[in-house]
């Protein structure tokens, strides 16, 4: 099971567990509840075990049958979070990569503070056109999606305008030194991309940190993620995009980000590391 699917399954189990606790507290067994609701007993079991997600109507009916209709509101929030968590790339990419970029732009525009960590590649907000094109071509090959590379690159570059717009937006971006060394594009493209990072490190709204190799880290850089205003986390995995909004999940990702940030180099030290990496691509 992929990380994204596992997260959705765990959330479904949590929701089912809360519904089971409500039934138990009411002193009602599963068969009795199923009879009251006019459901098959197997539906009660599947929902409680997380094998089937309830609908909003199911939650309303369940809590009312157990005598606690006021409990439905919080469970509806969990259900909405569950519904928004997992989006398969193939489904998202039916309209092309450019459409996905425009969706990201809307999310970024709504946030005041964005924290991003990428261990493998340069984040989209700081990519050059050639580097972005390499990423979109790779993604299209992997997912068998429509190769709208030119439109996708244009949409990604349009996203970057937010870095220069007036206002109080702040961007704290971390990437590992490894992301500068992986051969994810031809050498000239990699060198130009690193030069772009040097320039980006001087932008007033951007705090760019590089986590160096061979540095003892307080936490493992397992995968990339973006934290928006401490309210939402977006995680991209191979097959899907995972959106998390439960406070405890957001807090955990924020903790990981803060720990990694403590190991990063900034400003002059970061630029020195970047220029050394660029020299390796001559």
């Amino acid at each position: 099971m992929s990380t994204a699917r596992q997260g959705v399954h765990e959330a479904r189990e949590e929701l089912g567990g809360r519904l089971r606790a409500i039934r138990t507290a009411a002193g009602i067994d599963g068969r009795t509840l199923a009879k009251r609701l006019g459901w098959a007993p197997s539906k009660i079991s599947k929902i409680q075990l997380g094998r089937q997600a309830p609908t909003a109507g199911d939650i309303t009916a369940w809590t009312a049958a157990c005598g606690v209709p006021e409990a439905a509101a919080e469970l509806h929030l969990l259900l909405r979070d569950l519904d928004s968590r997992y989006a398969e790339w193939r489904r998202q990419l039916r309209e092309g990569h450019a459409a996905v970029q425009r969706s990201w732009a809307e999310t970024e525009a709504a946030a005041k503070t964005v924290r991003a960590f990428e261990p493998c590649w340069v984040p989209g907000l700081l990519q050059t056109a050639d580097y972005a094109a390499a990423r979109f071509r790779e993604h299209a090959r992997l997912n068998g999606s429509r190769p709208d590379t030119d439109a996708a690159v244009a949409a990604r570059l349009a996203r970057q305008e937010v870095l220069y717009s007036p206002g109080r937006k702040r961007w704290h971006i971390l990437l590992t030194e490894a992301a500068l060394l992986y051969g994810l594009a031809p050498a000239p493209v990699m060198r130009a991309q690193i030069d772009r990072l040097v320039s980006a490190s001087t932008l007033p709204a951007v705090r760019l940190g590089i986590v160096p190799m061979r540095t003892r880290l307080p936490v493992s850089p397992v995968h990339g993620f973006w934290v928006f205003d401490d309210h939402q986390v977006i995680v991209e995995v191979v097959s899907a995009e995972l959106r998390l909004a439960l406070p405890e999940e957001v807090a955990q990702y924020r903790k990981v980000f803060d720990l990694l940030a403590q190991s990063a180099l900034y400003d002059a030290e970061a630029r020195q590391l970047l220029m050394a990496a660029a020299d390796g691509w001559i």
Side-chain angles (χ1 to χ4, degrees):
M1 183 182 296
S2 73
T3 301
R5 288 187 184 276
Q6 183 177 357
V8 171
H9 180 67
E10 290 173 352
R12 191 180 294 158
E13 285 183 331
E14 179 184 354
L15 181 55
R18 294 201 184 189
L19 288 168
R20 180 176 59 248
I22 288 173
R23 175 187 60 75
T24 302
I28 304 172
D29 61 40
R31 287 190 174 275
T32 300
L33 180 59
K35 186 175 181 179
R36 288 185 183 181
L37 296 173
W39 298 353
S42 60
K43 180 175 178 177
I44 299 291
S45 177
K46 289 178 181 177
I47 288 176
Q48 291 183 155
L49 294 173
R51 295 175 181 168
Q52 176 180 333
T55 66
D58 291 341
I59 291 173
T60 299
W62 186 302
T63 54
C66 293
V68 285
E70 66 277 6
E74 181 179 357
L75 298 180
H76 284 153
L77 290 176
L78 285 175
L79 180 63
R80 284 199 292 272
D81 179 74
L82 174 62
D83 288 342
S84 66
R85 277 171 171 256
Y86 185 80
E88 291 187 69
W89 284 124
R90 287 179 177 82
R91 176 161 53 85
Q92 285 199 77
L93 295 175
R94 286 172 186 165
E95 298 181 12
H97 294 84
V100 174
Q101 293 304 300
R102 288 190 288 270
S103 175
W104 269 80
E106 292 175 1
T107 302
E108 290 161 349
K112 291 183 178 179
T113 302
V114 179
R115 296 173 178 87
F117 170 67
E118 292 291 359
C120 182
W121 51 70
V122 175
L125 278 176
L126 301 180
Q127 290 179 5
T128 64
D130 289 338
Y131 186 94
R135 301 282 61 72
F136 287 124
R137 285 193 291 266
E138 174 191 338
H139 212 167
R141 289 193 303 270
L142 181 63
N143 292 284
S145 52
R146 182 160 58 90
D148 60 339
T149 301
D150 290 344
V153 169
R156 176 159 288 179
L157 296 183
R159 277 176 58 196
Q160 297 177 6
E161 294 176 6
V162 74
L163 298 175
Y164 306 92
S165 59
R168 301 180 62 183
K169 286 184 181 292
R170 291 293 179 266
W171 309 83
H172 188 172
I173 298 175
L174 297 176
L175 63 153
T176 65
E177 182 181 358
L180 312 174
L181 305 178
Y182 287 135
L184 300 183
V189 174
M190 291 300 300
R191 183 176 177 86
Q193 175 60 74
I194 296 172
D195 288 344
R196 159 69 172 145
L197 291 174
V198 173
S199 299
S201 71
T202 66
L203 293 175
V206 176
R207 188 181 186 210
L208 177 62
I210 311 295
V211 180
M213 302 282 285
R214 291 181 290 277
T215 294
R216 181 72 172 90
L217 299 179
V219 63
S220 300
V222 180
H223 56 70
F225 57 89
W226 293 64
V227 183
F228 297 89
D229 285 337
D230 289 343
H231 297 318
Q232 182 184 53
V233 175
I234 298 181
V235 181
E236 292 182 341
V237 294
V238 171
S239 61
E241 179 182 278
L242 186 63
R243 291 182 177 241
L244 311 174
L246 293 180
E248 58 268 29
E249 293 175 318
V250 176
Q252 186 171 16
Y253 274 94
R254 177 62 192 276
K255 181 178 181 180
V256 171
F257 184 90
D258 289 345
L259 287 170
L260 289 170
Q262 293 174 12
S263 301
L265 301 178
Y266 295 90
D267 302 319
E269 288 184 310
R271 287 188 283 274
Q272 183 177 6
L273 189 155
L274 287 166
M275 289 185 287
D279 288 342
W281 288 106
I282 294 177

